[in-house]
Amino acid sequence: MNINATLIGQTIMFALFVWFCMKFVWPPIMAALDARNKRIADGLAAAERGKNDLALAAKHSAELLREAKEKVAEIIALGDKRASEIVEEAKAQAKIEGERIVTAAKAEVEQEVFRAKEQLRTQVSAIALAGAGKILGREIDAKAHNDLLDKLVAEI
Amino acid sequence: MSTEGLTTSAYIKHHLQNLTCSFQEGHFHCAHTAEEAKAMGFWAINMDTILVSLLLGLIFLFLFSRVAKSISSGVPSGMQNFVEWVVEFIDSSVRGSFNGRSALVAPLALSIFAWIFLMNLMDLVPIDYISLITQPLGIGHFKLVPTTDPNATIGMAIGVFLLVLFYSIKVKGLGGFVGELTLQPFGKFGLPVNLFLEGVNLIAKPVSLALRLFGNMYAGEMIFILIALMGASWMSFSFASTLLFSSQVILSLGWAIFHILIVTLQAFIFMTLTIVYLDMAHQEHH
């Protein structure tokens, strides 16, 4: 327990240790800690920003969705309207066409009937003539009584 | 135990004796007795104090500089975590009590804290174990705890004192520093009283630093020695011997656990007082 030169050695060692610590130990560690502080602060700020962006995007997407729904409803209504229109048009056209066909068919039938009547008349007059001829025999001249016959034909 | 054939007082003296060496008549010589060590005078060196404190200082600087070299600002792990924890603790202590700006104070505080902590920690090594290594090497005395040597604590206190003087003069100028010593608290007509009061105030700083640390660690070491003596008085399988031996086990365990607190506390006090003294050196008195 004597005071001796150890004192001086200890002071010198102390000074050297402090110098070394100040030069090579403390600054890099503090720099790294500060850098980490900054990174954490930046990260937190970025997270905050991201959260805001997300909220904004969610709002925007909801708006878009709503708009799209509206548009779709509009388009569907338009389509429905157009479809019923087309159906109506088709119905009207079909009616007109049907009527036309019916009319044409009726006309044709009438014509046919007329033609058949004409034919029938001619044939009936011929038969009548032939029958009358047979009944009257020779006395009746076909030429002389042609007028009569024609009248008869017209009456039938 | 190395106590066979030794009396109790010899055992205690043995454990309180440093390995004091000096150059005498051209060759390096180490003292065997306390009287011999005393006769060596001032120009002798306590080799145990120097070696252990040097080794511990190097361990501290090696660990911390290795981390400092490979440190990253990413996710820390293992040793880096520990080092950062210590550094942040020191940094917040310095920020708490040092108001100026200085690149020196924080690393100084870290060095003081870590170094004293490690030196104090040697107190927890069982006191007779070191002689298992030193005795075969022919070394008679070896004190493992440098802070129980007043030379170590006074040496550090002188270092701090020089820094206090340096910063006092640097910040306030030589005139300001001298004025602070002589012109207050009683004005220029009370100059001798002022000088006496402020002088005591100034000198008290290193003295209190050195003696507080030395006193605490020396007393702690002393109690370890006394506890160790209980088991050393083993005679036979008698009730008394067994009681003493088990008392040693329990007491040394208890004292060692309590000492963990003292080890840390003394290192912290030395560091905090250093910061406060340097803060005072940086401030103008009003």
Side-chain angles (χ1 to χ4, degrees), chain B residues 29-56:
Chain B
H29 176 74
C30 292
H32 294 292
T33 63
E35 291 72 32
E36 209 178 326
K38 202 161 207 149
M40 282 177 174
F42 184 76
W43 292 109
I45 278 184
N46 294 342
M47 287 308 288
D48 45 2
T49 302
I50 293 282
L51 283 178
V52 173
S53 58
L54 181 67
L55 189 71
L56 292 173

Side-chain angles (χ1 to χ4, degrees), chain A residues 59-90:
Chain A
K59 218 166 124 190
H60 188 63
S61 78
E63 213 163 279
L64 278 182
L65 199 66
R66 198 173 50 74
E67 259 172 38
K69 266 184 188 161
E70 263 171 26
K71 218 170 241 174
V72 164
E74 215 170 89
I75 287 169
I76 286 173
L78 218 68
D80 277 351
K81 204 172 139 203
R82 181 85 191 105
S84 60
E85 260 176 27
I86 287 171
V87 168
E88 286 305 308
E89 257 172 43

Side-chain angles (χ1 to χ4, degrees), chain A residues 2 4-7 11 30 36, chain B residues 42 44 46 74 84 91 151 154-155:
Chain A
N2 313 301
N4 56 28
T6 311
L7 191 74
T11 309
M30 263 349 251
R36 172 150 352 109
Chain B
F42 184 76
N46 294 342
E84 282 183 9
D91 193 47
N151 291 302
I154 293 173

Side-chain angles (χ1 to χ4, degrees), chain A residues 10-107:
Chain A
Q10 205 74 14
T11 309
I12 293 168
M13 267 199 293
F14 177 62
L16 287 178
F17 287 159
V18 170
W19 172 80
F20 186 89
C21 186
M22 190 177 132
K23 204 86 186 164
F24 301 108
V25 174
W26 191 266
I29 293 177
M30 263 349 251
L33 289 181
D34 286 346
R36 172 150 352 109
N37 276 355
K38 198 177 166 302
R39 269 177 69 173
I40 291 172
D42 287 355
L44 286 177
E48 193 62 31
R49 221 166 30 242
K51 223 160 102 186
N52 285 346
D53 284 358
L54 186 66
L56 228 66
K59 218 166 124 190
H60 188 63
S61 78
E63 213 163 279
L64 278 182
L65 199 66
R66 198 173 50 74
E67 259 172 38
K69 266 184 188 161
E70 263 171 26
K71 218 170 241 174
V72 164
E74 215 170 89
I75 287 169
I76 286 173
L78 218 68
D80 277 351
K81 204 172 139 203
R82 181 85 191 105
S84 60
E85 260 176 27
I86 287 171
V87 168
E88 286 305 308
E89 257 172 43
K91 265 187 192 162
Q93 244 170 11
K95 211 170 180 179
I96 292 166
E97 186 75 0
E99 268 166 16
R100 203 178 52 77
I101 289 168
V102 167
T103 319
K106 264 184 187 163

